[in-house]
Amino acid sequence: MQISPEIVHEGLRRARYLTTAAVETTLYLALVLEKPLLIEGPAGAGKTEIGKVLAEVLHTDLVRLQCYEGLDEAKALYEWNYQKQLLRIQVDREQEHPWEEVTQHIFSREYLLERPLLRAISSPRKIVLLVDEIDKADEEFEAFLLEVLSDFQVSVPELGTITAQMRPAVVLTSNRARELSEALKRRCLYLYLGFPGVDIEREIISLKVPELDERLREQVARFVNNLRKLDLRKAPSIAETLDWARALRALGVKELDAAEVRKTLNLILKHEEDLRKVEGKTSQLLRGS
């Protein structure tokens, strides 16, 4: 598939992902240069969604590796299917096959359980590999991932080296829970994705909740934007803004006022200290919106 800035722009619009021209340019460059894309930013700003949307743009599959503390190579790369191997050993013994023949059987691709990284490298077509929240993985795993992203090949001792037939488009996301290595950043194109401004978030609401009154869309976008300027434990995500917009519509709200905001504030703030901090400022935040 020939990639152009226009194809990326139109593809994002078709996937209903609204963003800035600078983000679109970075996505285009990551695809055309075949470089992994590292996206950092606050939780809920749309980083993971970019991986899903790119798969739609490229009309291909998404393979997702969710990172967490303790993630190791076996869970990310491959494991042997031990139960299936044991059954094969039992059958081969009953048929009196020599051990050399048995090992050839049980250490073949048929008995390999592909995990996300190997699945992405083995794919015969270009797919999107989403390595989500890499900052939650240990530094040792980050170093291992660095090797994989350098050559797009992995070594399975019993089978040899497996090299990607088609390099996947790779998206890594980070909420910056810890600082990532400079080596990883050098391998990647870097994108910081913050929350959208009022104008883009209003457009997102219009696209995803078209039934909402235009004035209410504007009020919701501005109120949430003002909320994010406060020192909150967790700022509202775009998804939470959309949930709030749908809830306001379900309640028949035509215009935001302090009473309506207080009744529904729990849809966009999920920590008690944040709720207490904002409840006394709703009128002030509304005037600011």
Side-chain angles (χ1 to χ4, degrees):
M1 180 180 181
Q2 190 70 31
I3 298 295
S4 69
E6 292 75 23
I7 285 177
V8 172
H9 175 76
E10 292 302 323
L12 292 176
R13 298 292 296 192
R14 276 199 304 276
R16 308 206 307 167
Y17 189 91
L18 302 182
T19 188
T20 63
V23 172
E24 289 183 5
T25 299
T26 305
L27 297 182
Y28 164 69
L29 291 175
L31 291 174
V32 78
L33 298 177
E34 294 192 317
K35 297 271 285 183
L37 174 62
L38 170 61
I39 310 175
E40 288 194 319
K47 302 185 297 298
T48 300
E49 198 64 20
I50 283 184
K52 299 175 183 175
V53 165
L54 275 186
E56 285 192 51
V57 171
L58 299 176
H59 305 291
T60 191
D61 297 326
L62 173 77
V63 173
R64 179 175 180 168
L65 174 63
Q66 179 63 51
C67 297
Y68 53 87
E69 188 177 350
L71 176 64
D72 58 20
E73 293 181 27
K75 295 186 180 69
L77 195 57
Y78 74 90
E79 288 180 284
W80 290 106
N81 188 334
Y82 299 119
Q83 288 184 328
K84 193 173 177 182
Q85 284 178 321
L86 286 172
L87 287 172
R88 182 59 191 253
I89 290 171
Q90 190 175 0
V91 170
D92 282 357
R93 276 181 176 170
E94 288 172 0
Q95 296 177 355
E96 299 182 348
H97 288 169
W99 178 245
E100 292 75 15
E101 189 176 329
V102 175
T103 55
Q104 284 182 357
H105 288 156
I106 62 175
F107 290 115
S108 61
R109 289 293 289 265
E110 184 184 348
Y111 295 84
L112 199 65
L113 294 173
E114 293 183 347
R115 299 309 183 199
L117 290 181
L118 185 56
R119 201 178 309 142
I121 286 176
S122 302
S123 174
R125 59 195 288 252
K126 193 178 191 69
I127 55 98
V128 174
L129 170 63
L130 171 64
V131 182
D132 212 8
E133 298 183 324
I134 180 62
D135 52 321
K136 287 186 176 176
D138 301 321
E139 292 180 7
E140 291 77 11
F141 181 79
E142 184 185 322
F144 160 72
L145 187 63
L146 199 58
E147 291 180 22
V148 175
L149 296 182
S150 295
D151 302 320
F152 287 94
Q153 64 179 31
V154 295
S155 177
V156 180
E158 296 84 355
L159 300 176
T161 300
I162 300 173
T163 304
Q165 300 174 47
M166 291 289 291
R167 284 194 171 203
V170 182
V171 176
L172 303 97
T173 73
S174 167
N175 294 331
R176 300 199 297 176
R178 68 172 174 84
E179 191 68 26
L180 300 176
S181 71
E182 290 300 324
L184 181 66
K185 290 181 178 179
R186 278 198 303 275
R187 294 284 196 289
C188 303
L189 256 62
Y190 180 81
L191 173 66
Y192 180 83
L193 190 68
F195 289 114
V198 173
D199 291 343
I200 289 183
E201 190 145 28
R202 185 183 58 234
E203 281 190 64
I204 293 171
I205 298 170
S206 174
L207 192 65
K208 302 291 180 74
V209 195
E211 308 85 4
L212 206 67
D213 178 77
E214 184 178 345
R215 174 170 167 72
L216 191 51
R217 285 201 297 262
E218 176 80 17
Q219 286 185 312
V220 167
R222 289 193 177 281
F223 185 84
V224 171
N225 187 263
N226 288 336
L227 270 185
R228 291 178 182 143
K229 295 174 184 173
L230 301 178
D231 183 22
L232 299 175
R233 180 173 169 186
K234 166 71 173 61
S237 66
I238 297 171
E240 287 164 336
T241 301
L242 294 173
D243 284 345
W244 192 36
R246 293 186 184 104
L248 292 171
R249 180 179 177 277
L251 292 170
V253 176
K254 300 295 182 187
E255 186 169 353
L256 275 188
D257 58 32
E260 295 295 349
V261 170
R262 290 193 193 98
K263 280 194 295 187
T264 54
L265 202 52
N266 60 319
L267 275 85
I268 44 178
L269 297 177
K270 307 293 175 65
H271 294 279
E272 187 184 1
E273 57 265 47
D274 289 344
L275 286 168
R276 281 204 302 267
K277 185 179 290 184
V278 171
E279 277 173 350
K281 297 179 179 177
T282 50
S283 297
Q284 178 188 341
L285 290 166
L286 280 169
R287 285 196 296 274
S289 65

